[in-house]
Amino acid sequence: MLLNGVRAAAIARASASGINGMERTMSVSLRESVQLVSDPRNLDASVEEVFHMMLGVNCQRFPGPVKIEPESVTAVVGFGGLLSGACVFRTGGSSAMKIAERMTGMEFEDIDDTVKDGIGEICNMLAGAWKGKVPNLAANCGLSVPAVITAGLQPACAGPEFQLKHTYQFEDAGFEVTIICDGIQ
């Protein structure tokens, strides 16, 4: 499964890096901070920050499901360290092109590599902003390189610790952001 491969890469990268090449000697846990880690306001704030900074737009949480067109774009960034899981960004093709247009100032007629790279970078920035909201998570959780696909992908995890799934909208562009935590130390 895609999430397992992304998660494994993030865990390997996080465990190989250490802190400045030194072994960690202090035991850190997120268990006592799980309510802060799973707080949906952190995801909302991260989306607002990233979209305002990168696209100059204000996003609002949208109560309904996002309209995913036959051609969709999904980006996944894995978490590894004290928290394992993934950040999944999913949107329809026209919304993906609108996001990339706002990021680059270019117009797109189809989903090319620049659009995919833009969606991957948005997912990466959202994952980083979200984990930065919790100090122990920011310091003890690595991110994988974004994986981007242009096919329907439904994030799934057997028995996750928690899952946040929100739909957002700016102008007529909609997207979903899902944080899946399948393990927490």
Side-chain angles (χ1 to χ4, degrees):
M1 179 177 186
L2 178 63
L3 291 180
N4 287 337
V6 171
R7 181 172 12 109
I11 291 168
R13 192 170 112 198
S15 63
S17 65
I19 298 177
N20 295 328
M22 299 171 57
E23 290 293 318
R24 293 183 184 165
T25 58
M26 185 170 81
S27 177
V28 179
S29 173
L30 287 176
R31 282 277 165 208
E32 61 275 358
S33 304
V34 74
Q35 73 283 353
L36 184 59
V37 173
S38 62
D39 187 341
R41 293 174 295 188
N42 288 335
L43 181 56
D44 293 341
S46 298
V47 168
E48 183 60 33
E49 290 167 13
V50 169
F51 273 75
H52 184 73
M53 179 179 60
M54 293 302 296
L55 281 68
V57 299
N58 293 320
C59 286
Q60 302 297 320
R61 193 174 333 164
F62 188 72
V66 67
K67 179 184 173 199
I68 300 297
E69 302 153 25
E71 187 170 29
S72 64
V73 180
T74 302
V76 180
V77 172
F79 298 114
L82 289 184
L83 180 140
S84 62
C87 176
V88 181
F89 183 93
R90 184 171 173 245
T91 190
S94 62
S95 292
M97 288 184 286
K98 181 173 271 190
I99 290 167
E101 286 171 7
R102 289 287 192 145
M103 289 176 75
T104 65
M106 299 166 44
E107 290 188 27
F108 298 93
E109 293 183 19
D110 59 356
I111 299 171
D112 64 12
D113 288 342
T114 302
V115 173
K116 293 176 198 174
D117 288 346
I119 297 302
E121 185 56 29
I122 286 289
C123 186
N124 188 49
M125 292 179 76
L126 288 171
W130 176 78
K131 80 174 190 122
K133 302 285 183 216
V134 181
N136 280 343
L137 185 59
N140 297 290
C141 182
L143 299 178
S144 73
V145 174
V148 181
I149 60 169
T150 55
L153 171 72
Q154 289 291 337
C157 178
E161 293 268 347
F162 68 86
Q163 178 173 316
L164 300 172
K165 182 178 183 178
H166 296 175
T167 303
Y168 299 91
Q169 184 172 351
F170 72 92
E171 298 166 1
D172 63 344
F175 57 91
E176 293 174 349
V177 180
T178 306
I179 301 289
I180 302 170
C181 172
D182 61 2
I184 193 166
Q185 294 180 16

